[in-house]
């Protein structure tokens, strides 16, 4: 990886935001866009940061749109920080710094009426690439008829991570219904007895759909934390060049503070 697209694990911040005169400081707005998968976490972190850094008068404006939107917006200078739910790729614009902030699990879920207990990775690949099209071909399935694949729209970091981590680089079949967020994916599989999709463990842990095991290991925050579950990916904060000013302060707080770690630990996994 080139030096202009670095993955940075920590940040040292000194004297940001004019600390010598906090009373006279004007409000600073951190703009963000990107991954819908990391939006729940980033929102919680931003809320806590505002509450614990009142003298800095920091405000946040957070939009979604998908990881690629976050990457492109950060590269173009349209936002302060891009929220990204996949690892850097060679096609990313040059000059970006990726700061990992948390790990998450990618869970395969089905409708509650189809309580699959376990899938092997080979079965996941066959189902999502369209090689297997009927539930009758899946041992233990409670559904009958055709398999309804539910996926994400292009530009999704969670889709990219799913294809990289669980599909061994293969693409989800073009027959899949495409949703713009993992929240919509989750809603769709809840209403479709023949549906199957992939969502973050944040969604899956709500237990409103069936979460099976992958290669005998159940997907949840506990198994992601322990390292037993293999289908894991990372959330990043992305900046154009090395983070500075308000962005640097916020990212440093995420990566170093106990308060941020406590928030991440509730439903995700801190980066060690």
């Amino acid at each position: 990886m080139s030096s202009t697209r670095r993955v940075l694990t920590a940040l040292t911040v000194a004297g940001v935001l004019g600390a010598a005169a906090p009373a006279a400081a004007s409000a600073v707005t951190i703009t963000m866009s990107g991954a819908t998968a990391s939006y729940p976490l980033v929102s919680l972190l931003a809320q806590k940061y505002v509450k614990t850094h009142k003298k800095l008068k920091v405000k946040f404006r957070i939009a979604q749109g998908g990881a690629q939107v976050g990457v492109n917006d950060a590269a173009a200078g349209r936002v302060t920080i891009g929220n990204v739910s996949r690892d850097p790729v060679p096609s990313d614009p040059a000059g970006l710094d990726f700061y990992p902030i948390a790990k998450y699990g990618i869970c395969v879920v089905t409708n509650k009426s189809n309580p699959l207990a376990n899938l092997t990775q080979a079965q996941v690949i066959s189902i999502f690439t369209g090689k297997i099209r009927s539930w009758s071909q899946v041992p233990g399935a409670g559904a009958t008829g055709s398999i309804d694949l539910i996926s994400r729209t292009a530009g999704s970091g969670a889709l990219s991570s799913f294809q990289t981590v669980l599909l061994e680089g293969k693409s989800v079949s073009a027959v899949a219904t495409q949703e713009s967020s993992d929240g919509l994916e989750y809603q769709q599989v809840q209403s479709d007895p023949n549906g199957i999709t992939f969502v973050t463990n944040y969604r899956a842990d709500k237990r409103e759909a069936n979460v099976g095991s992958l290669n005998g290991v159940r997907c949840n925050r506990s198994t992601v934390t322990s390292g037993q579950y293999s289908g894991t990916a990372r959330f990043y904060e992305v900046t154009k060049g090395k983070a500075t000013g308000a962005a640097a302060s916020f990212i440093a707080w995420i990566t170093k503070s106990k308060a941020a770690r406590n928030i991440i630990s509730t439903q995700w996994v801190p980066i060690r």
Side-chain angles (χ1 to χ4, degrees):
M1 186 178 300
S2 70
S3 60
T4 56
R5 194 179 290 121
R6 300 185 296 273
V7 177
L8 305 179
T9 58
L11 200 65
T12 301
V13 180
V16 297
L17 300 179
S26 58
V28 175
T29 299
I30 296 176
T31 56
M32 311 172 84
S33 68
T36 65
S38 65
Y39 177 79
L41 171 59
V42 173
S43 296
L44 290 173
L45 291 170
Q47 291 168 20
K48 185 68 173 180
Y49 189 74
V50 169
K51 289 180 180 179
T52 56
H53 295 74
K54 292 182 179 180
K55 289 185 179 181
L56 300 182
K57 299 182 180 179
V58 177
K59 298 180 180 179
F60 288 85
R61 189 166 66 245
I62 308 173
Q64 299 181 61
Q68 195 60 47
V69 169
V71 166
N72 293 343
D73 283 351
R78 289 187 289 266
V79 297
T80 316
I81 297 172
N83 298 320
V84 179
S85 50
R86 59 155 173 81
D87 289 339
V89 295
S91 59
D92 285 335
L96 296 175
D97 281 346
F98 283 69
Y99 299 88
I101 61 168
K103 291 198 297 184
Y104 67 98
I106 307 171
C107 307
V108 176
V109 298
T110 56
N111 188 274
K112 276 196 170 183
S113 66
N114 184 20
L116 279 172
N118 182 66
L119 287 170
T120 65
Q121 187 169 356
Q123 288 173 321
V124 171
I125 292 172
S126 293
I127 290 170
F128 279 91
T129 58
K131 184 177 180 180
I132 293 177
R133 293 293 300 122
S134 174
W135 283 115
S136 64
Q137 298 174 271
V138 183
T144 58
S146 63
I147 296 172
D148 295 339
L149 292 178
I150 305 163
S151 184
R152 289 290 305 278
T153 49
S156 160
L159 170 60
S160 177
S161 293
F162 174 66
Q163 292 178 153
T164 300
V165 174
L166 293 185
L167 299 192
E168 297 180 344
K170 299 177 177 65
S171 297
V172 172
S173 171
V175 304
T177 299
Q178 296 183 355
E179 299 291 351
S180 59
S181 72
D182 70 333
L184 292 175
E185 281 181 286
Y186 199 54
Q187 290 177 20
Q188 182 73 5
V189 82
Q190 285 177 263
S191 64
D192 185 352
N194 282 25
I196 186 169
T197 192
F198 56 92
V199 295
T200 64
N201 69 275
Y202 165 78
R203 298 289 177 190
D205 286 350
K206 295 181 183 297
R207 301 182 182 180
E208 295 167 347
N210 174 69
V211 186
S213 297
L214 175 68
N215 297 328
V217 179
R218 191 171 179 82
C219 179
N220 53 42
R221 190 185 66 83
S222 177
T223 58
V224 174
T225 301
S226 68
Q228 293 173 285
Y229 187 74
S230 59
T232 62
R234 299 196 289 184
F235 290 140
Y236 293 86
E237 301 291 69
V238 177
T239 58
K240 184 178 182 179
K242 186 177 180 180
T244 60
S249 180
F250 178 56
I251 295 171
W253 176 81
I254 294 175
T255 59
K256 294 182 178 181
S257 76
K258 182 179 179 180
R261 188 178 184 86
N262 287 343
I263 291 172
I264 295 168
S265 297
T266 60
Q267 298 179 80
W268 302 273
V269 180
I271 298 292
R272 294 194 175 104

